[in-house]
Amino acid sequence: PSPGLGFHSERPAGGSACALEPAVLLTPVPLVSDQEHLDEEINNLRKELRVKVNRLFEAQGKAELKGFNLNPMTAEEMKLINRILEG
């Protein structure tokens, strides 16, 4: 596995860069918790954006955008929709 595929490299404790030293160890990175954290941040930004856009439109005297308050479907909802569509 390469560093770009969910692993990061660490040298053994006290290890040096000498070619005769043991190989670099590969350890898994906690990708699931990182993804959950990023999903939460994205959702918070979407909520804040909705509020800001509504304030802007109100200040400009424009009507609120229709359909802007939609939420993306969850993975579970998508699986159910795909099952229904497949028959």
Side-chain angles (χ1 to χ4, degrees), residues 1-72:
S2 69
L5 297 175
F7 290 83
H8 69 278
S9 60
E10 294 179 354
R11 290 225 171 259
S16 67
C18 176
L20 299 176
E21 293 287 327
V24 173
L25 302 175
L26 294 176
T27 56
V29 176
L31 292 178
V32 173
S33 64
D34 287 348
Q35 185 63 50
E36 289 172 352
H37 175 71
L38 291 173
D39 287 343
E40 186 178 317
E41 281 189 43
I42 289 169
N43 287 333
N44 287 338
L45 289 172
R46 283 181 179 145
K47 289 176 188 175
E48 291 172 12
L49 180 61
R50 289 178 185 142
V51 171
K52 290 177 182 179
V53 168
N54 284 335
R55 268 195 246 140
L56 174 64
F57 273 55
E58 183 180 324
Q60 293 175 339
K62 295 181 181 179
E64 184 176 324
L65 285 177
K66 294 186 187 258
F68 191 69
N69 290 322
L70 300 175
N71 291 318

